[in-house]
PDB file of all heavy atoms in Angstrom:
ATOM      1  N   PRO A 228      51.896  75.787 137.082  1.00  0.00           N
ATOM      2  CA  PRO A 228      52.380  76.805 136.141  1.00  0.00           C
ATOM      3  C   PRO A 228      53.558  77.572 136.723  1.00  0.00           C
ATOM      4  O   PRO A 228      53.644  77.779 137.934  1.00  0.00           O
ATOM      5  CB  PRO A 228      51.156  77.714 135.949  1.00  0.00           C
ATOM      6  CG  PRO A 228      50.328  77.499 137.170  1.00  0.00           C
ATOM      7  CD  PRO A 228      50.541  76.078 137.562  1.00  0.00           C
ATOM      8  N   ARG A 229      54.484  77.967 135.854  1.00  0.00           N
ATOM      9  CA  ARG A 229      55.609  78.786 136.269  1.00  0.00           C
ATOM     10  C   ARG A 229      55.166  80.245 136.269  1.00  0.00           C
ATOM     11  O   ARG A 229      54.345  80.654 135.456  1.00  0.00           O
ATOM     12  CB  ARG A 229      56.798  78.562 135.343  1.00  0.00           C
ATOM     13  CG  ARG A 229      57.209  77.099 135.289  1.00  0.00           C
ATOM     14  CD  ARG A 229      58.350  76.836 134.313  1.00  0.00           C
ATOM     15  NE  ARG A 229      59.631  77.236 134.875  1.00  0.00           N
ATOM     16  CZ  ARG A 229      60.414  78.153 134.356  1.00  0.00           C
ATOM     17  NH1 ARG A 229      60.064  78.782 133.249  1.00  0.00           N
ATOM     18  NH2 ARG A 229      61.580  78.454 134.915  1.00  0.00           N
ATOM     19  N   ILE A 230      55.700  81.029 137.191  1.00  0.00           N
ATOM     20  CA  ILE A 230      55.198  82.386 137.432  1.00  0.00           C
ATOM     21  C   ILE A 230      56.310  83.417 137.243  1.00  0.00           C
ATOM     22  O   ILE A 230      57.394  83.289 137.819  1.00  0.00           O
ATOM     23  CB  ILE A 230      54.632  82.509 138.858  1.00  0.00           C
ATOM     24  CG1 ILE A 230      53.499  81.496 139.081  1.00  0.00           C
ATOM     25  CG2 ILE A 230      54.133  83.928 139.124  1.00  0.00           C
ATOM     26  CD1 ILE A 230      53.084  81.368 140.535  1.00  0.00           C
ATOM     27  N   PHE A 231      56.022  84.434 136.441  1.00  0.00           N
ATOM     28  CA  PHE A 231      56.866  85.628 136.339  1.00  0.00           C
ATOM     29  C   PHE A 231      56.114  86.767 137.011  1.00  0.00           C
ATOM     30  O   PHE A 231      54.939  87.007 136.711  1.00  0.00           O
ATOM     31  CB  PHE A 231      57.156  85.985 134.884  1.00  0.00           C
ATOM     32  CG  PHE A 231      57.971  87.250 134.725  1.00  0.00           C
ATOM     33  CD1 PHE A 231      59.345  87.183 134.570  1.00  0.00           C
ATOM     34  CD2 PHE A 231      57.354  88.500 134.734  1.00  0.00           C
ATOM     35  CE1 PHE A 231      60.098  88.345 134.429  1.00  0.00           C
ATOM     36  CE2 PHE A 231      58.093  89.667 134.602  1.00  0.00           C
ATOM     37  CZ  PHE A 231      59.475  89.581 134.451  1.00  0.00           C
ATOM     38  N   MET A 232      56.794  87.484 137.912  1.00  0.00           N
ATOM     39  CA  MET A 232      56.190  88.645 138.564  1.00  0.00           C
ATOM     40  C   MET A 232      57.166  89.805 138.558  1.00  0.00           C
ATOM     41  O   MET A 232      58.362  89.611 138.757  1.00  0.00           O
ATOM     42  CB  MET A 232      55.801  88.320 140.021  1.00  0.00           C
ATOM     43  CG  MET A 232      54.627  87.376 140.155  1.00  0.00           C
ATOM     44  SD  MET A 232      54.381  86.852 141.881  1.00  0.00           S
ATOM     45  CE  MET A 232      54.307  88.431 142.699  1.00  0.00           C
ATOM     46  N   SER A 233      56.648  91.019 138.350  1.00  0.00           N
ATOM     47  CA  SER A 233      57.460  92.227 138.499  1.00  0.00           C
ATOM     48  C   SER A 233      56.637  93.264 139.241  1.00  0.00           C
ATOM     49  O   SER A 233      55.394  93.246 139.209  1.00  0.00           O
ATOM     50  CB  SER A 233      57.908  92.769 137.138  1.00  0.00           C
ATOM     51  OG  SER A 233      56.806  93.271 136.400  1.00  0.00           O
ATOM     52  N   HIS A 234      57.340  94.185 139.920  1.00  0.00           N
ATOM     53  CA  HIS A 234      56.624  95.203 140.712  1.00  0.00           C
ATOM     54  C   HIS A 234      57.549  96.386 140.952  1.00  0.00           C
ATOM     55  O   HIS A 234      58.751  96.221 141.168  1.00  0.00           O
ATOM     56  CB  HIS A 234      56.197  94.609 142.057  1.00  0.00           C
ATOM     57  CG  HIS A 234      54.911  95.181 142.579  1.00  0.00           C
ATOM     58  ND1 HIS A 234      53.768  94.411 142.724  1.00  0.00           N
ATOM     59  CD2 HIS A 234      54.569  96.433 142.973  1.00  0.00           C
ATOM     60  CE1 HIS A 234      52.794  95.164 143.218  1.00  0.00           C
ATOM     61  NE2 HIS A 234      53.259  96.400 143.367  1.00  0.00           N
ATOM     62  N   GLY A 235      56.978  97.589 140.936  1.00  0.00           N
ATOM     63  CA  GLY A 235      57.742  98.800 141.198  1.00  0.00           C
ATOM     64  C   GLY A 235      57.885  99.070 142.686  1.00  0.00           C
ATOM     65  O   GLY A 235      56.914  98.948 143.447  1.00  0.00           O
ATOM     66  N   THR A 236      59.067  99.450 143.102  1.00  0.00           N
ATOM     67  CA  THR A 236      59.313  99.681 144.529  1.00  0.00           C
ATOM     68  C   THR A 236      58.616 100.943 145.044  1.00  0.00           C
ATOM     69  O   THR A 236      58.440 101.099 146.248  1.00  0.00           O
ATOM     70  CB  THR A 236      60.820  99.798 144.802  1.00  0.00           C
ATOM     71  OG1 THR A 236      61.379 100.824 143.964  1.00  0.00           O
ATOM     72  CG2 THR A 236      61.527  98.478 144.518  1.00  0.00           C
ATOM     73  N   ASN A 237      58.207 101.838 144.139  1.00  0.00           N
ATOM     74  CA  ASN A 237      57.517 103.064 144.534  1.00  0.00           C
ATOM     75  C   ASN A 237      56.032 103.035 144.187  1.00  0.00           C
ATOM     76  O   ASN A 237      55.401 104.082 144.026  1.00  0.00           O
ATOM     77  CB  ASN A 237      58.170 104.278 143.864  1.00  0.00           C
ATOM     78  CG  ASN A 237      59.631 104.415 144.230  1.00  0.00           C
ATOM     79  OD1 ASN A 237      60.005 104.213 145.378  1.00  0.00           O
ATOM     80  ND2 ASN A 237      60.464 104.739 143.246  1.00  0.00           N
ATOM     81  N   ASP A 238      55.485 101.834 144.066  1.00  0.00           N
ATOM     82  CA  ASP A 238      54.075 101.670 143.709  1.00  0.00           C
ATOM     83  C   ASP A 238      53.193 102.118 144.878  1.00  0.00           C
ATOM     84  O   ASP A 238      53.211 101.519 145.953  1.00  0.00           O
ATOM     85  CB  ASP A 238      53.803 100.202 143.370  1.00  0.00           C
ATOM     86  CG  ASP A 238      52.449  99.988 142.707  1.00  0.00           C
ATOM     87  OD1 ASP A 238      51.512 100.756 142.986  1.00  0.00           O
ATOM     88  OD2 ASP A 238      52.335  99.021 141.917  1.00  0.00           O
ATOM     89  N   ARG A 239      52.374 103.163 144.664  1.00  0.00           N
ATOM     90  CA  ARG A 239      51.470 103.664 145.706  1.00  0.00           C
ATOM     91  C   ARG A 239      50.049 103.134 145.526  1.00  0.00           C
ATOM     92  O   ARG A 239      49.200 103.332 146.408  1.00  0.00           O
ATOM     93  CB  ARG A 239      51.459 105.201 145.696  1.00  0.00           C
ATOM     94  CG  ARG A 239      52.802 105.811 146.090  1.00  0.00           C
ATOM     95  CD  ARG A 239      52.773 107.321 145.954  1.00  0.00           C
ATOM     96  NE  ARG A 239      54.078 107.889 146.289  1.00  0.00           N
ATOM     97  CZ  ARG A 239      54.419 108.322 147.496  1.00  0.00           C
ATOM     98  NH1 ARG A 239      53.545 108.244 148.490  1.00  0.00           N
ATOM     99  NH2 ARG A 239      55.616 108.834 147.719  1.00  0.00           N
ATOM    100  N   VAL A 240      49.772 102.496 144.394  1.00  0.00           N
ATOM    101  CA  VAL A 240      48.440 101.943 144.146  1.00  0.00           C
ATOM    102  C   VAL A 240      48.318 100.566 144.790  1.00  0.00           C
ATOM    103  O   VAL A 240      47.376 100.280 145.543  1.00  0.00           O
ATOM    104  CB  VAL A 240      48.155 101.864 142.631  1.00  0.00           C
ATOM    105  CG1 VAL A 240      46.791 101.217 142.364  1.00  0.00           C
ATOM    106  CG2 VAL A 240      48.226 103.251 142.005  1.00  0.00           C
ATOM    107  N   LEU A 241      49.278  99.692 144.483  1.00  0.00           N
ATOM    108  CA  LEU A 241      49.360  98.371 145.103  1.00  0.00           C
ATOM    109  C   LEU A 241      50.763  98.259 145.703  1.00  0.00           C
ATOM    110  O   LEU A 241      51.694  97.815 145.035  1.00  0.00           O
ATOM    111  CB  LEU A 241      49.120  97.270 144.067  1.00  0.00           C
ATOM    112  CG  LEU A 241      47.708  97.216 143.471  1.00  0.00           C
ATOM    113  CD1 LEU A 241      47.635  96.201 142.339  1.00  0.00           C
ATOM    114  CD2 LEU A 241      46.675  96.878 144.547  1.00  0.00           C
ATOM    115  N   PRO A 242      50.943  98.695 146.959  1.00  0.00           N
ATOM    116  CA  PRO A 242      52.279  98.745 147.558  1.00  0.00           C
ATOM    117  C   PRO A 242      52.978  97.392 147.544  1.00  0.00           C
ATOM    118  O   PRO A 242      52.375  96.354 147.842  1.00  0.00           O
ATOM    119  CB  PRO A 242      51.991  99.210 148.992  1.00  0.00           C
ATOM    120  CG  PRO A 242      50.719  99.978 148.881  1.00  0.00           C
ATOM    121  CD  PRO A 242      49.906  99.253 147.850  1.00  0.00           C
ATOM    122  N   ILE A 243      54.234  97.412 147.194  1.00  0.00           N
ATOM    123  CA  ILE A 243      54.993  96.196 146.940  1.00  0.00           C
ATOM    124  C   ILE A 243      55.095  95.285 148.160  1.00  0.00           C
ATOM    125  O   ILE A 243      55.044  94.056 148.037  1.00  0.00           O
ATOM    126  CB  ILE A 243      56.390  96.554 146.384  1.00  0.00           C
ATOM    127  CG1 ILE A 243      57.101  95.320 145.835  1.00  0.00           C
ATOM    128  CG2 ILE A 243      57.234  97.284 147.426  1.00  0.00           C
ATOM    129  CD1 ILE A 243      58.353  95.654 145.048  1.00  0.00           C
ATOM    130  N   ASP A 244      55.219  95.860 149.358  1.00  0.00           N
ATOM    131  CA  ASP A 244      55.358  95.023 150.555  1.00  0.00           C
ATOM    132  C   ASP A 244      54.111  94.196 150.819  1.00  0.00           C
ATOM    133  O   ASP A 244      54.200  93.030 151.218  1.00  0.00           O
ATOM    134  CB  ASP A 244      55.669  95.884 151.787  1.00  0.00           C
ATOM    135  CG  ASP A 244      57.126  96.344 151.819  1.00  0.00           C
ATOM    136  OD1 ASP A 244      57.973  95.644 151.235  1.00  0.00           O
ATOM    137  OD2 ASP A 244      57.405  97.387 152.427  1.00  0.00           O
TER     138      ASP A 244
END
Side-chain angles (χ1 to χ4, degrees):
R229 303 177 78 241
I230 302 168
F231 177 96
M232 289 172 53
S233 68
H234 212 115
T236 55
N237 301 319
D238 192 330
R239 294 175 182 267
V240 177
L241 294 173
I243 192 169
D244 283 334

